[in-house]
């Protein structure tokens, strides 16, 4: 049934699924079904099939009879349509002509109105030029103001009709007269406005400003005020030498600038701001604070105070910027309304003035100061912090000072809040990276060499007396202490500082919160989460440092405990008495722990100390257990060898080797190790209880 049906394509697609024989059988079966259905359809509607040819007899003759009247009807309809179209076109043409006539009439009327207004204004001006001017002066300034208002109203109509008649030849002829009227009107308005301001006469200023508003020249009035009143005052007040010669010169200069509006613009604000006690109406459309005072102040600061925007000295720049922003804030208070403040902030000079401040350069200088001091401290050796600091290392002390400095009142600027926040995170990240890159080199190799040296020097003497064994322990203790001074104490200080700075980060958050909320940040949880991520990064550095301390402690402890392997040498073939107490190495084994606790117990938190000592004890005692087991196994093997030798020499009546008063050397060794293990266990238990 489809137009694009293709037999070959159909067969090629079907053969991918079934064989051709199966496809042929299915198609034959389908053909039979269609044939059967067709026969059933014919049988069902057989009468209609038979009568079909009968019903069509004479149909062509009937159709031919209808052709002629239908053609005539079509001609009549077309003729009527044409007649209606001609009527519509004629009406449209007349309407177009009528509209053209109406427009021309309106243009003529506007031109008449323009000429009438010009003549009326000229008549008023000429009539007042000579004869009526003295009488006006005698009658007071109110009459002149009223006359200007009449002229302004008429001029407004003149301007409206002139704009509507733009392009007309007659208007070009009248235009010089309009320009003369405009110049004369503006000159009169300017003189009258200045006179009213100089004499503080509200009856002159009010109609004058109303006339300016009527003729849509409010900006001209504002510009006049800026040039005549504001500019001389600003040029007198803004003086760079005056500012530099006084401690608070900049603040005093801004205070004098702020005095201008209440002292010199009071009358203008009364007329335009609704602050008058009179019942006269307020004249809208004026904003002298924004359009007259502010541009002249900005122009004066940019021209006569170029050093104001110099960021070379960041402290001076911060002070000037802060004082200036406070001046702007107070100036906005004098605007009188939120709408006026919005107009001020959208004024072109407001934006250009803010862009004059090189905030990015200031931040770069501060960044080099703050980050540079931290980098310089990190490049040096691990120095101790000052006594007045709450930290142990100088680098951590500098880090915290820098974090606080970023948000201090003499460094932070609200306009750079996002950058100082970024620098805060960068400082914390740099500190975490520095800890990660600390050269925590294992000192176990150096320690082992020192222990071996001490042990070798004491071999010849320790076999004779226990006093020499004490001397050996003291020498080994010195080696351990030297290694700890180079490694363990610094690691302890780093971890203690990490714990300290984590505790103080919430304090930093409370310093940051009011400053960010002041600049409009609402979702402070994002700041808290970011600082928590930095805190987690610092915490992640602690396990590696703790493992290194635990390893050092374990190595220091085991450097004594491994002397258990020397016990057989002390008793074999020496005829020593039975041991009655533990060896000296057991007494010295826990000295590294006691020293660490006594020297740094007040530096780190208790659970840190417990964690290190527990881990080190677990490791060193495990190694001690292996050492003692190896010694006992060796003793047992030696004992079995001696027994075999004894059996071999029985026939020669050779006495047993290594006995003393019936006690063998092996028994003495076992007994000594038993004393050592028992004593070590008691010392470990006591140490853990002290923790």
């Amino acid at each position: 049934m489809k137009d694009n049906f293709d037999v070959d394509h159909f067969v090629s697609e079907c053969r991918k699924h079934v064989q051709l024989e199966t496809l042929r059988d299915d198609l034959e079966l389908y053909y039979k079904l269609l044939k059967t259905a067709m026969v059933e359809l014919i049988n069902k509607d057989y009468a209609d099939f038979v009568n079909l040819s009968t019903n069509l007899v004479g149909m062509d003759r009937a159709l031919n009879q209808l052709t002629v009247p239908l053609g005539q009807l079509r001609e009549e309809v077309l003729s009527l349509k044409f007649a209606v179209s001609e009527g519509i076109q004629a009406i449209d043409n007349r309407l177009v002509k009528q509209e053209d006539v109406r427009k021309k009439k309106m243009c003529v009327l506007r031109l008449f109105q323009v000429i009438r207004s010009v003549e009326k204004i000229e008549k008023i001006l000429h009539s007042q030029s000579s004869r009526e001017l003295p009488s006006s002066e005698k009658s007071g300034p109110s009459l002149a103001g009223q006359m200007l208002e009449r002229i302004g109203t008429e001029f407004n109509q003149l301007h409206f009709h002139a704009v509507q008649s733009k392009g007309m030849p007659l208007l070009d002829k009248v235009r010089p007269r309009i320009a003369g009227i405009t110049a004369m009107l503006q000159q009169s308005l300017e003189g009258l406005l200045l006179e009213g301001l100089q004499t503080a006469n509200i009856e002159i200023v009010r109609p004058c400003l109303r006339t300016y508003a009527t003729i849509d020249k409010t900006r001209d009035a504002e510009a006049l005020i800026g040039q005549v009143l504001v500019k001389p005052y600003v040029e007198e007040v803004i003086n760079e030498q005056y500012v530099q010669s006084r401690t608070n010169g900049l603040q005093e200069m801004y205070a004098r600038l702020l005095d201008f509006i209440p002292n010199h613009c009071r009358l203008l604000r009364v007329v335009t701001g609704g602050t008058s006690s009179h019942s006269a109406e307020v004249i809208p459309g004026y904003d002298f604070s924004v359009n007259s005072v502010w541009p002249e102040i900005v122009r004066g600061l940019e021209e006569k105070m170029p050093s104001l925007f110099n960021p070379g000295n960041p402290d001076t720049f911060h002070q000037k910027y802060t004082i200036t922003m406070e001046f702007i804030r107070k100036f906005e208070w004098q605007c009188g309304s939120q709408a006026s403040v919005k107009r001020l902030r959208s004024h072109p000079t407001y934006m250009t003035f803010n862009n004059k401040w090189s905030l990015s350069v200031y931040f770069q200088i501060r960044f080099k100061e703050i980050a540079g001091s931290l980098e310089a401290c990190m490049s040096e050796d691990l120095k101790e912090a000052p006594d007045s600091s709450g930290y142990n290392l100088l680098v951590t002390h500098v880090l915290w000072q820098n974090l606080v400095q970023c948000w201090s009142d003499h460094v932070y600027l609200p306009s750079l809040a996002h950058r100082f926040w970024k620098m805060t995170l960068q400082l914390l990240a740099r500190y975490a990276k520095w800890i990660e890159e600390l050269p925590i080199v294992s000192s176990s190799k150096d320690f082992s060499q020192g222990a071996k040296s001490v042990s070798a020097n004491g071999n010849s003497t320790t076999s004779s007396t226990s006093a020499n064994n004490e001397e050996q322990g003291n020498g080994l203790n010195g080696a351990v202490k030297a290694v700890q001074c180079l490694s363990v104490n610094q690691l302890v200080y780093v971890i203690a500082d990490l714990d300290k700075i984590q505790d103080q980060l919430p304090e930093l958050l409370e310093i940051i919160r009011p400053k960010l909320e002041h600049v409009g940040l609402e979702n402070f949880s994002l700041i808290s989460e970011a600082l928590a991520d930095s805190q987690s990064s610092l915490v992640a550095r602690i396990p590696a440092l703790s493992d290194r301390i635990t390893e050092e402690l374990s190595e220091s402890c085991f450097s004594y405990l491994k002397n258990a392997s020397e016990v057989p040498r002390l008793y074999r073939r020496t005829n020593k008495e039975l041991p009655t107490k533990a060896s000296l190495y057991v007494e010295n084994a826990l000295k590294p722990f006691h020293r660490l606790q006594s020297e740094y117990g007040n530096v780190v938190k208790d659970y840190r100390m417990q964690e290190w000592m527990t881990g080190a004890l677990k490791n060193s005692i495990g190694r001690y257990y292996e050492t003692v087991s190896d010694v006992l196994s060796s003793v047992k093997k030696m004992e079995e060898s001696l027994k075999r030798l004894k059996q071999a020499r029985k026939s020669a009546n050779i006495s047993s080797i290594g006995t003393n008063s019936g006690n063998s050397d092996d028994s003495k060794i076992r007994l000594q190790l038993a004393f050592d293990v028992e004593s070590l266990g008691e010392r470990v238990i006591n140490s853990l209880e002290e923790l």
Side-chain angles (χ1 to χ4, degrees):
M1 297 297 293
K2 295 181 180 179
D3 296 337
N4 60 349
F5 178 75
D6 183 70
V7 176
D8 295 334
H9 179 71
F10 174 75
V11 174
S12 63
E13 289 295 326
C14 290
R15 69 182 298 178
K16 296 178 182 179
H17 305 285
V18 297
Q19 297 180 357
L20 292 178
E21 291 80 3
T22 305
L23 177 62
R24 182 192 60 192
D25 296 340
D26 292 343
L27 290 176
E28 288 180 352
L29 179 60
Y30 187 61
Y31 171 72
K32 293 178 180 179
L33 291 175
L34 290 177
K35 190 174 180 180
T36 303
M38 183 183 67
V39 173
E40 291 179 354
L41 179 61
I42 293 174
N43 292 335
K44 180 179 179 182
D45 299 330
Y46 182 75
D48 295 336
F49 278 106
V50 173
N51 295 329
L52 181 61
S53 59
T54 305
N55 294 333
L56 294 177
V57 174
M59 183 62 68
D60 53 348
R61 186 170 59 254
L63 292 175
N64 291 331
Q65 292 176 356
L66 292 174
T67 302
V68 176
L70 288 176
Q72 295 175 353
L73 181 61
R74 181 175 180 274
E75 292 295 332
E76 294 176 358
V77 171
L78 291 176
S79 176
L80 179 61
K81 180 179 179 182
F82 180 75
V84 171
S85 299
E86 288 182 346
I88 293 174
Q89 183 65 33
I91 294 174
D92 289 340
N93 293 335
R94 294 187 64 181
L95 290 175
V96 170
K97 291 180 180 180
Q98 184 178 357
E99 180 65 19
D100 185 57
V101 171
R102 188 186 67 81
K103 290 181 179 179
K104 291 180 179 179
K105 182 178 179 181
M106 291 298 298
C107 290
V108 173
L109 292 176
R110 290 194 190 99
L111 289 174
F112 284 159
Q113 186 64 37
V114 168
I115 296 174
R116 187 181 299 111
S117 298
V118 169
E119 292 176 349
K120 184 176 181 180
I121 294 174
E122 289 177 343
K123 182 179 179 181
I124 296 174
L125 292 175
H126 289 309
S127 64
Q128 294 293 327
S129 60
S130 58
R131 291 183 299 101
E132 296 185 5
L133 185 58
S135 62
S136 299
E137 291 178 351
K138 292 179 182 179
S139 301
S142 60
L143 184 58
Q146 294 176 1
M147 192 64 65
L148 284 177
E149 284 192 79
R150 289 177 54 193
I151 296 175
T153 303
E154 194 66 33
F155 182 83
N156 192 30
Q157 296 181 3
L158 170 62
H159 179 71
F160 171 77
H161 293 297
V163 172
Q164 296 295 326
S165 303
K166 185 177 181 181
M168 300 298 293
L170 182 60
L171 183 63
D172 295 335
K173 296 180 179 180
V174 183
R175 195 177 299 278
R177 297 170 64 185
I178 297 176
I181 293 173
T182 303
M184 186 180 298
L185 179 60
Q186 289 184 341
Q187 183 178 3
S188 301
L189 285 173
E190 290 177 1
L192 193 61
L193 178 60
L194 294 178
E195 179 186 353
L197 292 175
Q198 291 173 357
T199 59
N201 192 332
I202 194 172
E203 299 301 329
I204 298 178
V205 175
R206 189 186 301 278
C208 190
L209 292 181
R210 188 184 297 112
T211 303
Y212 268 112
T214 302
I215 64 176
D216 196 21
K217 296 292 183 179
T218 56
R219 294 296 173 265
D220 292 348
E222 292 171 342
L224 177 65
I225 297 300
Q227 287 293 322
V228 177
L229 293 183
V230 183
K231 188 175 181 179
Y233 183 86
V234 169
E235 290 180 350
E236 179 184 355
V237 172
I238 298 179
N239 190 323
E240 190 167 10
Q241 294 180 353
Y242 175 86
V243 172
Q244 294 178 354
S245 62
R246 287 168 172 77
T247 305
N248 298 324
L250 186 62
Q251 293 175 326
E252 294 176 1
M253 184 190 74
Y254 283 144
R256 293 181 63 189
L257 291 176
L258 290 172
D259 290 339
F260 179 82
I261 292 179
N263 294 335
H264 300 275
C265 296
R266 184 186 60 82
L267 186 60
L268 295 174
R269 299 186 70 183
V270 166
V271 176
T272 62
T275 59
S276 174
S277 59
H278 304 283
S279 59
E281 76 280 2
V282 174
I283 302 175
Y286 291 95
D287 197 337
F288 291 101
S289 299
V290 175
N291 298 320
S292 300
V293 180
W294 173 254
E296 292 300 328
I297 291 177
V298 171
R299 189 177 297 108
L301 291 175
E302 292 178 351
E303 293 177 357
K304 304 187 67 176
M305 293 284 294
S307 63
L308 181 67
F309 310 99
N310 186 7
N313 188 330
D315 295 332
T316 304
F317 179 86
H318 183 277
Q319 182 183 13
K320 292 180 178 179
Y321 180 82
T322 304
I323 295 174
T324 304
M325 292 301 109
E326 180 66 18
F327 161 72
I328 294 177
R329 185 175 63 85
K330 292 180 179 179
F331 188 88
E332 289 179 349
W333 289 351
Q334 293 185 350
C335 290
S337 65
Q338 285 295 109
S340 180
V341 173
K342 290 181 179 179
R343 286 192 294 269
L344 175 66
R345 294 179 179 178
S346 61
H347 199 277
T349 57
Y350 186 91
M351 292 180 283
T352 55
F353 182 73
N354 285 331
N355 293 334
K356 291 283 289 185
W357 298 92
S358 302
L359 296 179
S360 59
V361 178
Y362 168 77
F363 178 78
Q364 289 298 326
I365 296 175
R366 289 300 191 188
F367 184 86
K368 290 180 180 179
E369 289 180 356
I370 297 174
S373 63
L374 182 62
E375 286 292 338
C377 189
M378 288 179 176
S379 62
E380 300 175 355
D381 296 333
L382 293 179
K383 297 181 180 180
E384 293 186 4
D387 296 336
S388 59
S389 173
Y391 295 95
N392 301 285
L393 296 176
L394 179 61
V395 62
T396 315
H397 171 70
V398 172
L399 170 67
W400 179 252
Q401 282 188 329
N402 290 348
L403 292 175
V404 175
Q405 186 180 5
C406 288
W407 304 95
S408 62
D409 294 336
H410 65 280
V411 173
Y412 169 78
L413 291 177
S415 302
L416 297 173
H418 60 294
R419 294 195 177 186
F420 279 107
W421 169 242
K422 181 180 179 181
M423 184 164 65
T424 300
L425 298 180
Q426 287 176 328
L427 292 173
L428 291 172
R430 181 66 186 93
Y431 181 72
K433 186 65 175 178
W434 172 78
I435 293 177
E436 183 181 359
E437 296 175 351
L438 280 177
I440 309 176
V441 181
S442 175
S443 60
S444 58
K445 181 178 180 181
D446 298 334
F447 168 79
S448 299
Q449 291 177 354
K452 289 180 180 179
S453 175
V454 174
S455 179
N457 292 332
N459 278 341
S460 59
T461 57
T462 52
S463 58
S464 59
T465 62
S466 60
N468 292 333
N469 197 4
E470 174 74 23
E471 183 179 354
Q472 173 191 358
N474 292 334
L476 195 59
N477 182 25
V480 174
K481 184 175 182 180
V483 172
Q484 287 181 337
C485 289
L486 293 174
S487 176
V488 173
N489 64 334
Q490 295 174 344
L491 297 177
V492 171
Y493 286 154
V494 172
I495 293 178
D497 284 356
L498 281 174
D499 288 336
K500 178 69 174 179
I501 204 168
Q502 289 180 62
D503 295 338
Q504 286 194 318
L505 282 182
E507 177 183 342
L508 178 65
L509 194 64
E510 293 305 317
I511 296 176
I512 297 174
R513 180 188 297 273
K515 298 184 180 298
L516 294 184
E517 290 178 348
H518 178 71
V519 297
L521 180 67
E522 296 179 356
N523 192 1
F524 195 78
S525 59
L526 296 176
I527 302 298
S528 302
E529 293 173 0
L531 201 61
D533 291 340
S534 299
Q535 187 174 3
S536 300
S537 179
L538 294 175
V539 173
R541 305 297 186 267
I542 295 180
L545 302 175
S546 294
D547 292 343
R548 187 73 208 118
I549 293 176
T550 302
E551 180 182 351
E552 290 288 344
L553 283 176
S554 175
E555 191 65 33
S556 300
C557 178
F558 185 69
S559 64
Y560 296 101
L561 295 178
K562 69 179 182 180
N563 287 329
S565 60
E566 301 294 329
V567 172
R569 182 177 59 80
L570 297 176
Y571 288 99
R572 197 169 301 284
R573 296 184 179 182
T574 59
N575 293 324
K576 275 190 175 184
E577 297 294 332
L578 282 173
T580 58
K581 62 179 182 178
S583 301
L584 183 60
Y585 75 85
V586 176
E587 181 180 351
N588 295 328
L590 299 184
K591 283 186 177 181
F593 299 98
H594 298 156
R595 187 182 307 110
L596 181 69
Q597 187 175 11
S598 62
E599 294 181 2
Y600 307 109
N602 296 328
V603 175
V604 296
K605 297 180 179 180
D606 294 338
Y607 77 91
R608 294 281 186 207
M609 187 68 68
Q610 185 176 5
E611 175 187 347
W612 298 337
M613 296 183 69
T614 302
L617 284 172
K618 182 178 180 181
N619 189 12
S620 57
I621 291 177
R623 297 173 66 185
Y624 177 67
Y625 173 79
E626 294 177 356
T627 301
V628 172
S629 298
D630 293 341
V631 171
L632 292 176
S633 298
S634 177
V635 169
K636 185 175 181 180
K637 292 179 181 178
M638 179 62 73
E639 186 177 25
E640 292 176 353
S641 298
L642 292 176
K643 286 182 179 180
R644 289 195 297 270
L645 183 60
K646 180 180 178 182
Q647 293 294 334
R649 296 183 177 181
K650 268 187 178 182
S651 57
N653 295 324
I654 300 177
S655 61
S656 299
I657 300 176
T659 61
N660 188 6
S661 302
N663 294 315
S664 64
D665 294 342
D666 299 328
S667 299
K668 296 177 183 179
I669 294 171
R670 290 190 179 92
L671 184 58
Q672 182 65 63
L673 291 176
F675 280 131
D676 294 347
V677 171
E678 183 178 0
S679 176
L680 179 63
E682 292 176 355
R683 293 175 182 274
V684 169
I685 292 174
N686 293 334
S687 298
L688 293 178
E689 290 178 352
E690 292 177 359
L691 291 177

